[in-house]
PDB file of all heavy atoms in Angstrom:
ATOM      1  N   ALA A 287     -21.384  14.872   3.577  1.00  0.00           N
ATOM      2  CA  ALA A 287     -21.400  16.055   4.461  1.00  0.00           C
ATOM      3  C   ALA A 287     -22.024  17.250   3.743  1.00  0.00           C
ATOM      4  O   ALA A 287     -22.799  18.010   4.339  1.00  0.00           O
ATOM      5  CB  ALA A 287     -19.979  16.378   4.907  1.00  0.00           C
ATOM      6  N   ARG A 288     -21.706  17.402   2.454  1.00  0.00           N
ATOM      7  CA  ARG A 288     -22.294  18.496   1.668  1.00  0.00           C
ATOM      8  C   ARG A 288     -23.801  18.311   1.519  1.00  0.00           C
ATOM      9  O   ARG A 288     -24.560  19.279   1.527  1.00  0.00           O
ATOM     10  CB  ARG A 288     -21.658  18.557   0.277  1.00  0.00           C
ATOM     11  CG  ARG A 288     -20.296  19.188   0.254  1.00  0.00           C
ATOM     12  CD  ARG A 288     -20.024  19.914  -1.041  1.00  0.00           C
ATOM     13  NE  ARG A 288     -20.826  21.133  -1.160  1.00  0.00           N
ATOM     14  CZ  ARG A 288     -20.690  22.015  -2.131  1.00  0.00           C
ATOM     15  NH1 ARG A 288     -19.791  21.832  -3.057  1.00  0.00           N
ATOM     16  NH2 ARG A 288     -21.447  23.076  -2.194  1.00  0.00           N
ATOM     17  N   ARG A 289     -24.216  17.068   1.386  1.00  0.00           N
ATOM     18  CA  ARG A 289     -25.633  16.781   1.172  1.00  0.00           C
ATOM     19  C   ARG A 289     -26.449  16.954   2.454  1.00  0.00           C
ATOM     20  O   ARG A 289     -27.577  17.429   2.416  1.00  0.00           O
ATOM     21  CB  ARG A 289     -25.774  15.336   0.664  1.00  0.00           C
ATOM     22  CG  ARG A 289     -27.186  14.990   0.199  1.00  0.00           C
ATOM     23  CD  ARG A 289     -27.261  13.541  -0.243  1.00  0.00           C
ATOM     24  NE  ARG A 289     -26.443  13.291  -1.419  1.00  0.00           N
ATOM     25  CZ  ARG A 289     -26.203  12.081  -1.910  1.00  0.00           C
ATOM     26  NH1 ARG A 289     -26.694  11.014  -1.314  1.00  0.00           N
ATOM     27  NH2 ARG A 289     -25.465  11.935  -2.987  1.00  0.00           N
ATOM     28  N   ARG A 290     -25.843  16.603   3.607  1.00  0.00           N
ATOM     29  CA  ARG A 290     -26.614  16.554   4.854  1.00  0.00           C
ATOM     30  C   ARG A 290     -26.446  17.786   5.744  1.00  0.00           C
ATOM     31  O   ARG A 290     -27.335  18.106   6.523  1.00  0.00           O
ATOM     32  CB  ARG A 290     -26.212  15.302   5.663  1.00  0.00           C
ATOM     33  CG  ARG A 290     -26.554  14.003   4.960  1.00  0.00           C
ATOM     34  CD  ARG A 290     -25.927  12.816   5.682  1.00  0.00           C
ATOM     35  NE  ARG A 290     -26.105  11.575   4.944  1.00  0.00           N
ATOM     36  CZ  ARG A 290     -27.133  10.761   5.084  1.00  0.00           C
ATOM     37  NH1 ARG A 290     -28.093  11.069   5.924  1.00  0.00           N
ATOM     38  NH2 ARG A 290     -27.215   9.645   4.372  1.00  0.00           N
ATOM     39  N   SER A 291     -25.287  18.441   5.667  1.00  0.00           N
ATOM     40  CA  SER A 291     -25.012  19.566   6.576  1.00  0.00           C
ATOM     41  C   SER A 291     -25.041  20.898   5.823  1.00  0.00           C
ATOM     42  O   SER A 291     -24.196  21.153   4.963  1.00  0.00           O
ATOM     43  CB  SER A 291     -23.649  19.362   7.249  1.00  0.00           C
ATOM     44  OG  SER A 291     -23.278  20.518   7.964  1.00  0.00           O
ATOM     45  N   ALA A 292     -25.997  21.752   6.179  1.00  0.00           N
ATOM     46  CA  ALA A 292     -26.113  23.076   5.542  1.00  0.00           C
ATOM     47  C   ALA A 292     -24.920  23.961   5.923  1.00  0.00           C
ATOM     48  O   ALA A 292     -24.433  24.755   5.114  1.00  0.00           O
ATOM     49  CB  ALA A 292     -27.415  23.742   5.967  1.00  0.00           C
ATOM     50  N   LYS A 293     -24.437  23.812   7.181  1.00  0.00           N
ATOM     51  CA  LYS A 293     -23.289  24.608   7.653  1.00  0.00           C
ATOM     52  C   LYS A 293     -22.029  24.268   6.864  1.00  0.00           C
ATOM     53  O   LYS A 293     -21.301  25.145   6.412  1.00  0.00           O
ATOM     54  CB  LYS A 293     -23.044  24.336   9.141  1.00  0.00           C
ATOM     55  CG  LYS A 293     -23.610  25.402  10.053  1.00  0.00           C
ATOM     56  CD  LYS A 293     -23.185  25.134  11.474  1.00  0.00           C
ATOM     57  CE  LYS A 293     -23.846  26.165  12.393  1.00  0.00           C
ATOM     58  NZ  LYS A 293     -23.523  25.916  13.816  1.00  0.00           N
ATOM     59  N   PHE A 294     -21.778  22.967   6.717  1.00  0.00           N
ATOM     60  CA  PHE A 294     -20.591  22.515   5.979  1.00  0.00           C
ATOM     61  C   PHE A 294     -20.681  22.946   4.515  1.00  0.00           C
ATOM     62  O   PHE A 294     -19.700  23.388   3.927  1.00  0.00           O
ATOM     63  CB  PHE A 294     -20.456  20.991   6.081  1.00  0.00           C
ATOM     64  CG  PHE A 294     -19.252  20.426   5.375  1.00  0.00           C
ATOM     65  CD1 PHE A 294     -17.984  20.563   5.913  1.00  0.00           C
ATOM     66  CD2 PHE A 294     -19.388  19.775   4.152  1.00  0.00           C
ATOM     67  CE1 PHE A 294     -16.867  20.054   5.262  1.00  0.00           C
ATOM     68  CE2 PHE A 294     -18.281  19.268   3.484  1.00  0.00           C
ATOM     69  CZ  PHE A 294     -17.021  19.410   4.046  1.00  0.00           C
ATOM     70  N   ASN A 295     -21.868  22.829   3.961  1.00  0.00           N
ATOM     71  CA  ASN A 295     -22.101  23.224   2.561  1.00  0.00           C
ATOM     72  C   ASN A 295     -21.809  24.712   2.366  1.00  0.00           C
ATOM     73  O   ASN A 295     -21.184  25.109   1.388  1.00  0.00           O
ATOM     74  CB  ASN A 295     -23.551  22.906   2.183  1.00  0.00           C
ATOM     75  CG  ASN A 295     -23.747  22.835   0.688  1.00  0.00           C
ATOM     76  OD1 ASN A 295     -22.826  22.523  -0.060  1.00  0.00           O
ATOM     77  ND2 ASN A 295     -24.941  23.142   0.238  1.00  0.00           N
ATOM     78  N   ALA A 296     -22.269  25.524   3.320  1.00  0.00           N
ATOM     79  CA  ALA A 296     -22.038  26.978   3.246  1.00  0.00           C
ATOM     80  C   ALA A 296     -20.545  27.287   3.358  1.00  0.00           C
ATOM     81  O   ALA A 296     -20.034  28.187   2.677  1.00  0.00           O
ATOM     82  CB  ALA A 296     -22.804  27.672   4.368  1.00  0.00           C
ATOM     83  N   LEU A 297     -19.848  26.525   4.203  1.00  0.00           N
ATOM     84  CA  LEU A 297     -18.404  26.715   4.390  1.00  0.00           C
ATOM     85  C   LEU A 297     -17.642  26.390   3.098  1.00  0.00           C
ATOM     86  O   LEU A 297     -16.738  27.128   2.692  1.00  0.00           O
ATOM     87  CB  LEU A 297     -17.915  25.819   5.533  1.00  0.00           C
ATOM     88  CG  LEU A 297     -16.607  26.229   6.223  1.00  0.00           C
ATOM     89  CD1 LEU A 297     -16.784  27.541   6.977  1.00  0.00           C
ATOM     90  CD2 LEU A 297     -16.141  25.131   7.167  1.00  0.00           C
ATOM     91  N   VAL A 298     -18.035  25.282   2.453  1.00  0.00           N
ATOM     92  CA  VAL A 298     -17.401  24.878   1.181  1.00  0.00           C
ATOM     93  C   VAL A 298     -17.662  25.932   0.112  1.00  0.00           C
ATOM     94  O   VAL A 298     -16.750  26.318  -0.633  1.00  0.00           O
ATOM     95  CB  VAL A 298     -17.917  23.497   0.724  1.00  0.00           C
ATOM     96  CG1 VAL A 298     -17.437  23.166  -0.689  1.00  0.00           C
ATOM     97  CG2 VAL A 298     -17.458  22.404   1.682  1.00  0.00           C
ATOM     98  N   ASP A 299     -18.914  26.416   0.037  1.00  0.00           N
ATOM     99  CA  ASP A 299     -19.265  27.449  -0.949  1.00  0.00           C
ATOM    100  C   ASP A 299     -18.457  28.729  -0.734  1.00  0.00           C
ATOM    101  O   ASP A 299     -18.025  29.380  -1.691  1.00  0.00           O
ATOM    102  CB  ASP A 299     -20.761  27.771  -0.859  1.00  0.00           C
ATOM    103  CG  ASP A 299     -21.620  26.693  -1.507  1.00  0.00           C
ATOM    104  OD1 ASP A 299     -21.061  25.870  -2.252  1.00  0.00           O
ATOM    105  OD2 ASP A 299     -22.839  26.662  -1.256  1.00  0.00           O
ATOM    106  N   LYS A 300     -18.239  29.064   0.535  1.00  0.00           N
ATOM    107  CA  LYS A 300     -17.501  30.289   0.872  1.00  0.00           C
ATOM    108  C   LYS A 300     -16.042  30.190   0.419  1.00  0.00           C
ATOM    109  O   LYS A 300     -15.515  31.100  -0.226  1.00  0.00           O
ATOM    110  CB  LYS A 300     -17.579  30.521   2.385  1.00  0.00           C
ATOM    111  CG  LYS A 300     -16.835  31.768   2.849  1.00  0.00           C
ATOM    112  CD  LYS A 300     -16.900  31.897   4.363  1.00  0.00           C
ATOM    113  CE  LYS A 300     -16.053  33.085   4.847  1.00  0.00           C
ATOM    114  NZ  LYS A 300     -16.063  33.192   6.336  1.00  0.00           N
ATOM    115  N   TYR A 301     -15.397  29.071   0.770  1.00  0.00           N
ATOM    116  CA  TYR A 301     -13.962  28.942   0.472  1.00  0.00           C
ATOM    117  C   TYR A 301     -13.684  28.525  -0.974  1.00  0.00           C
ATOM    118  O   TYR A 301     -12.580  28.729  -1.466  1.00  0.00           O
ATOM    119  CB  TYR A 301     -13.306  27.970   1.455  1.00  0.00           C
ATOM    120  CG  TYR A 301     -13.137  28.591   2.826  1.00  0.00           C
ATOM    121  CD1 TYR A 301     -13.998  28.254   3.871  1.00  0.00           C
ATOM    122  CD2 TYR A 301     -12.149  29.536   3.064  1.00  0.00           C
ATOM    123  CE1 TYR A 301     -13.868  28.841   5.121  1.00  0.00           C
ATOM    124  CE2 TYR A 301     -12.015  30.137   4.307  1.00  0.00           C
ATOM    125  CZ  TYR A 301     -12.875  29.789   5.334  1.00  0.00           C
ATOM    126  OH  TYR A 301     -12.747  30.388   6.564  1.00  0.00           O
ATOM    127  N   SER A 302     -14.681  27.945  -1.643  1.00  0.00           N
ATOM    128  CA  SER A 302     -14.484  27.593  -3.057  1.00  0.00           C
ATOM    129  C   SER A 302     -14.311  28.842  -3.923  1.00  0.00           C
ATOM    130  O   SER A 302     -13.650  28.809  -4.960  1.00  0.00           O
ATOM    131  CB  SER A 302     -15.660  26.761  -3.574  1.00  0.00           C
ATOM    132  OG  SER A 302     -16.858  27.515  -3.536  1.00  0.00           O
ATOM    133  N   LEU A 303     -14.891  29.959  -3.476  1.00  0.00           N
ATOM    134  CA  LEU A 303     -14.750  31.223  -4.213  1.00  0.00           C
ATOM    135  C   LEU A 303     -13.358  31.835  -4.049  1.00  0.00           C
ATOM    136  O   LEU A 303     -13.001  32.770  -4.765  1.00  0.00           O
ATOM    137  CB  LEU A 303     -15.814  32.224  -3.742  1.00  0.00           C
ATOM    138  CG  LEU A 303     -17.273  31.864  -4.062  1.00  0.00           C
ATOM    139  CD1 LEU A 303     -18.215  32.824  -3.377  1.00  0.00           C
ATOM    140  CD2 LEU A 303     -17.516  31.862  -5.562  1.00  0.00           C
ATOM    141  N   LYS A 304     -12.574  31.307  -3.086  1.00  0.00           N
ATOM    142  CA  LYS A 304     -11.227  31.837  -2.836  1.00  0.00           C
ATOM    143  C   LYS A 304     -10.134  31.007  -3.501  1.00  0.00           C
ATOM    144  O   LYS A 304      -8.951  31.313  -3.359  1.00  0.00           O
ATOM    145  CB  LYS A 304     -10.990  31.915  -1.324  1.00  0.00           C
ATOM    146  CG  LYS A 304     -11.936  32.896  -0.631  1.00  0.00           C
ATOM    147  CD  LYS A 304     -11.677  32.995   0.852  1.00  0.00           C
ATOM    148  CE  LYS A 304     -12.645  33.988   1.501  1.00  0.00           C
ATOM    149  NZ  LYS A 304     -12.418  34.118   2.951  1.00  0.00           N
ATOM    150  N   ILE A 305     -10.539  29.948  -4.221  1.00  0.00           N
ATOM    151  CA  ILE A 305      -9.549  29.128  -4.933  1.00  0.00           C
ATOM    152  C   ILE A 305      -8.946  29.967  -6.061  1.00  0.00           C
ATOM    153  O   ILE A 305      -9.685  30.602  -6.818  1.00  0.00           O
ATOM    154  CB  ILE A 305     -10.209  27.852  -5.525  1.00  0.00           C
ATOM    155  CG1 ILE A 305     -10.831  27.002  -4.418  1.00  0.00           C
ATOM    156  CG2 ILE A 305      -9.193  27.025  -6.310  1.00  0.00           C
ATOM    157  CD1 ILE A 305     -11.694  25.868  -4.930  1.00  0.00           C
ATOM    158  N   PRO A 306      -7.616  29.995  -6.181  1.00  0.00           N
ATOM    159  CA  PRO A 306      -6.998  30.797  -7.259  1.00  0.00           C
ATOM    160  C   PRO A 306      -7.523  30.404  -8.639  1.00  0.00           C
ATOM    161  O   PRO A 306      -7.719  29.225  -8.926  1.00  0.00           O
ATOM    162  CB  PRO A 306      -5.503  30.447  -7.126  1.00  0.00           C
ATOM    163  CG  PRO A 306      -5.334  29.979  -5.721  1.00  0.00           C
ATOM    164  CD  PRO A 306      -6.621  29.317  -5.346  1.00  0.00           C
ATOM    165  N   ILE A 307      -7.763  31.380  -9.470  1.00  0.00           N
ATOM    166  CA  ILE A 307      -8.228  31.264 -10.870  1.00  0.00           C
ATOM    167  C   ILE A 307      -9.636  30.663 -10.949  1.00  0.00           C
ATOM    168  O   ILE A 307     -10.567  31.295 -11.435  1.00  0.00           O
ATOM    169  CB  ILE A 307      -7.245  30.445 -11.743  1.00  0.00           C
ATOM    170  CG1 ILE A 307      -5.838  31.047 -11.672  1.00  0.00           C
ATOM    171  CG2 ILE A 307      -7.726  30.404 -13.203  1.00  0.00           C
ATOM    172  CD1 ILE A 307      -4.755  30.217 -12.339  1.00  0.00           C
ATOM    173  N   VAL A 308      -9.798  29.438 -10.461  1.00  0.00           N
ATOM    174  CA  VAL A 308     -11.100  28.752 -10.541  1.00  0.00           C
ATOM    175  C   VAL A 308     -12.158  29.500  -9.732  1.00  0.00           C
ATOM    176  O   VAL A 308     -13.315  29.616 -10.154  1.00  0.00           O
ATOM    177  CB  VAL A 308     -10.979  27.283 -10.057  1.00  0.00           C
ATOM    178  CG1 VAL A 308     -12.347  26.610 -10.015  1.00  0.00           C
ATOM    179  CG2 VAL A 308     -10.043  26.501 -10.961  1.00  0.00           C
ATOM    180  N   GLY A 309     -11.768  30.022  -8.558  1.00  0.00           N
ATOM    181  CA  GLY A 309     -12.702  30.770  -7.708  1.00  0.00           C
ATOM    182  C   GLY A 309     -13.270  31.987  -8.421  1.00  0.00           C
ATOM    183  O   GLY A 309     -14.458  32.294  -8.294  1.00  0.00           O
ATOM    184  N   ASP A 310     -12.423  32.675  -9.189  1.00  0.00           N
ATOM    185  CA  ASP A 310     -12.864  33.862  -9.938  1.00  0.00           C
ATOM    186  C   ASP A 310     -13.859  33.474 -11.030  1.00  0.00           C
ATOM    187  O   ASP A 310     -14.840  34.187 -11.263  1.00  0.00           O
ATOM    188  CB  ASP A 310     -11.648  34.565 -10.553  1.00  0.00           C
ATOM    189  CG  ASP A 310     -12.023  35.886 -11.202  1.00  0.00           C
ATOM    190  OD1 ASP A 310     -12.683  36.702 -10.547  1.00  0.00           O
ATOM    191  OD2 ASP A 310     -11.682  36.085 -12.386  1.00  0.00           O
ATOM    192  N   ILE A 311     -13.620  32.336 -11.680  1.00  0.00           N
ATOM    193  CA  ILE A 311     -14.552  31.854 -12.717  1.00  0.00           C
ATOM    194  C   ILE A 311     -15.901  31.519 -12.090  1.00  0.00           C
ATOM    195  O   ILE A 311     -16.960  31.867 -12.629  1.00  0.00           O
ATOM    196  CB  ILE A 311     -13.965  30.617 -13.443  1.00  0.00           C
ATOM    197  CG1 ILE A 311     -12.712  31.013 -14.234  1.00  0.00           C
ATOM    198  CG2 ILE A 311     -14.997  29.989 -14.377  1.00  0.00           C
ATOM    199  CD1 ILE A 311     -11.962  29.844 -14.831  1.00  0.00           C
TER     200      ILE A 311
END
């Protein structure tokens, strides 16, 4: 899904930045 869907990829990138501690890194 990450490889084929630009929308899904953008969604993952957006919420990955909100992961505690790791998102800040």
Side-chain angles (χ1 to χ4, degrees):
R288 282 212 71 173
R289 189 182 295 171
R290 296 170 187 270
S291 171
K293 260 187 184 177
F294 181 75
N295 199 27
L297 202 67
V298 171
D299 284 345
K300 180 183 175 182
Y301 286 103
S302 64
L303 294 172
K304 296 181 180 180
I305 300 170
I307 305 172
V308 175
D310 187 51
I311 294 172

